[in-house]
Amino acid sequence: MDSKQNKSDGQPAGYTYAQAGVSIDAGNALVRAIAPLARATRRPGADADLGGFGGFFDLKAAGFTDPLLVAANDGVGTKLKLAIESGRHDGVGIDLVAMCVNDLIVQGAEPLFFLDYYATAKLDNDVATAVVASIAEGCKLAGCALIGGETAEMPGMYSDGDYDLAGFCVGAVERHEVLTADKVAAGDVILGLASSGVHSNGFSLVRRLAADKGWKLDRPALFDQEVLLIDALMAPTRIYVKSLLPLVKTGKVHALAHITGGGLLENIPRILPANLQAHVDADAWEQPRLMAFLQAQGNIEPEEMARTFNCGIGMAVVVAEGDVDAVTTALTDAGETVLRIGHIADGAKGCTVTGSAETWSAMGDWSATHNA
């Protein structure tokens, strides 16, 4: 009711939630729209029906006997702002899932179920549905069920058109298959699995460069005329779960490191014991053209690249020398691009990345070290 007085009795009109900027009807419509998306992610242990107060998961039905549960949560970071500004919402859900499930597989855990949190000032069902459809797609890629979530419409909390995302994922691993630092040994080899792009880290720097350099995001990229620059930047984070999980179960994988914020330098040490150091040879793989573009645009030193971006490596896989060929073949057959990028040696816990002159545009030989 728009009038200030109730015409029949002269009393002031009652307030409604809609007048405060929150539409219950829009929220209900969104639930109806995304319910089929969630059902499409069903897997053993979860039926993925929405609408209750919580989601159930049956570990026994999923085939586990003596499991440990592993939980992870994450967001997409300022890549979301780029998605909002460019109107490209159909990949950030994959990013959201990837950031969580890749953190589970590195501990040996199989992702089981996922919940999302979507918050905005005013619900735009087209945008929200596109985002949740992307989340569901990520869940299918990871083999986990989207069993619930929360959509929050909060006027005054966010600017018009803005939204934020958070993801929560629970996985399980049989007790004897947990990946811990004690499996890593001197002489082990570090294999790198190629990334699909920037993934979901370093975007505060990317957006700063875009603003300062006046990038034309809707035009072909300087480094690839077949791809728009915005599409190269927004490429979803690669999900490594299905290619790695069978290998984890064989015991051939000693450790895994998801290369996120902090880059190669700071993430690989997280999987090492106190007496071992990782040595990464930047000469061992070709710098992706997107990374070379970012480095050139920002005149970024190689050491800064190694601690800011994934530099073309989205996952590090530590294996024994004798298992390199078998693991490489298995991962290649699973669709991964596998690169031998370094080794483990005795030394203080940490990581050293080295390169020759011209590698990553360096003027001379260079080295960057992070001691954990």
Side-chain angles (χ1 to χ4, degrees):
M1 187 178 295
D2 294 328
S3 62
K4 293 183 179 180
Q5 298 288 328
N6 185 310
K7 293 181 180 179
S8 62
D9 57 15
Q11 295 297 314
Y15 282 78
T16 67
Y17 213 6
Q19 287 172 341
V22 178
S23 174
I24 294 174
D25 290 340
N28 290 338
L30 178 61
V31 171
R32 289 192 296 271
I34 65 179
L37 303 174
R39 283 196 294 272
T41 68
R42 284 177 168 169
R43 53 149 294 154
D47 59 16
D49 280 331
L50 301 183
F53 286 93
F56 286 96
F57 193 92
D58 185 345
L59 279 169
K60 185 175 290 187
F64 288 90
T65 55
D66 184 25
L68 294 174
L69 293 179
V70 187
N73 73 300
D74 214 327
V76 183
T78 54
K79 187 176 187 177
L80 265 186
K81 193 66 176 174
L82 201 57
I84 293 165
E85 292 167 350
S86 63
R88 281 166 166 76
H89 310 284
D90 54 358
V92 292
I94 296 176
D95 285 305
L96 185 69
V97 175
M99 296 305 290
C100 294
V101 299
N102 285 343
D103 278 356
L104 294 182
I105 188 62
V106 299
Q107 296 169 96
E110 174 186 352
L112 302 177
F113 59 87
F114 191 91
L115 300 99
D116 68 281
Y117 176 79
Y118 179 101
T120 186
K122 183 175 176 57
L123 197 56
D124 182 325
N125 274 4
D126 289 340
V127 171
T129 301
V131 171
V132 177
S134 179
I135 293 171
E137 177 63 22
C139 286
K140 285 190 282 187
L141 291 171
C144 63
L146 177 60
I147 66 169
E150 168 71 4
T151 301
E153 196 172 25
M154 298 189 288
M157 185 68 76
Y158 297 94
S159 299
D160 288 345
D162 278 354
Y163 64 88
D164 199 8
L165 284 177
F168 309 85
C169 194
V170 173
V173 55
E174 296 291 2
R175 195 176 302 269
H176 66 280
E177 294 176 355
V178 176
L179 291 182
T180 55
D182 61 358
K183 293 183 172 65
V184 182
D188 281 353
V189 173
I190 307 171
L191 301 176
L193 304 188
S195 64
S196 54
V198 186
H199 284 187
S200 298
N201 300 100
F203 271 90
S204 292
L205 178 53
V206 170
R207 293 182 62 247
R208 176 66 180 270
L209 287 173
D212 289 354
K213 302 297 180 180
W215 292 351
K216 304 299 183 184
L217 296 173
D218 58 349
R219 295 183 184 176
L222 293 175
F223 52 87
D224 187 346
Q225 292 293 299
E226 301 298 316
V227 179
L228 297 182
L229 179 54
I230 185 63
D231 291 334
L233 295 172
M234 293 301 296
T237 304
R238 186 163 181 81
I239 292 175
Y240 300 98
V241 172
K242 289 187 176 179
S243 57
L244 286 171
L245 194 58
L247 275 173
V248 169
K249 293 182 180 297
T250 68
K252 287 185 170 64
V253 174
H254 289 182
L256 297 167
H258 183 200
I259 309 304
T260 54
L264 294 160
L265 269 181
E266 295 188 11
N267 282 288
I268 295 178
R270 297 168 66 179
I271 60 172
L272 299 178
N275 61 331
L276 294 178
Q277 185 172 73
H279 295 266
V280 175
D281 180 9
D283 296 347
W285 74 97
E286 186 176 353
Q287 185 184 39
R289 289 179 293 175
L290 171 56
M291 295 295 166
F293 168 77
L294 294 173
Q295 184 177 13
Q297 288 285 299
N299 193 28
I300 303 170
E301 294 294 332
E303 296 87 347
E304 185 69 14
M305 290 294 293
R307 64 168 46 91
T308 302
F309 297 111
N310 63 54
C311 299
I313 304 297
M315 183 72 72
V317 185
V318 179
V319 299
E321 175 75 55
D323 291 326
V324 168
D325 290 344
V327 170
T328 299
T329 298
L331 288 171
T332 302
D333 289 347
E336 302 294 348
T337 299
V338 187
L339 305 152
R340 182 167 176 155
I341 65 170
H343 67 280
I344 306 295
D346 291 325
K349 180 179 180 179
C351 179
T352 297
V353 181
T354 57
S356 304
E358 299 185 4
T359 297
W360 296 6
S361 303
M363 299 297 291
D365 292 351
W366 59 274
S367 177
T369 298
H370 173 75
N371 292 317

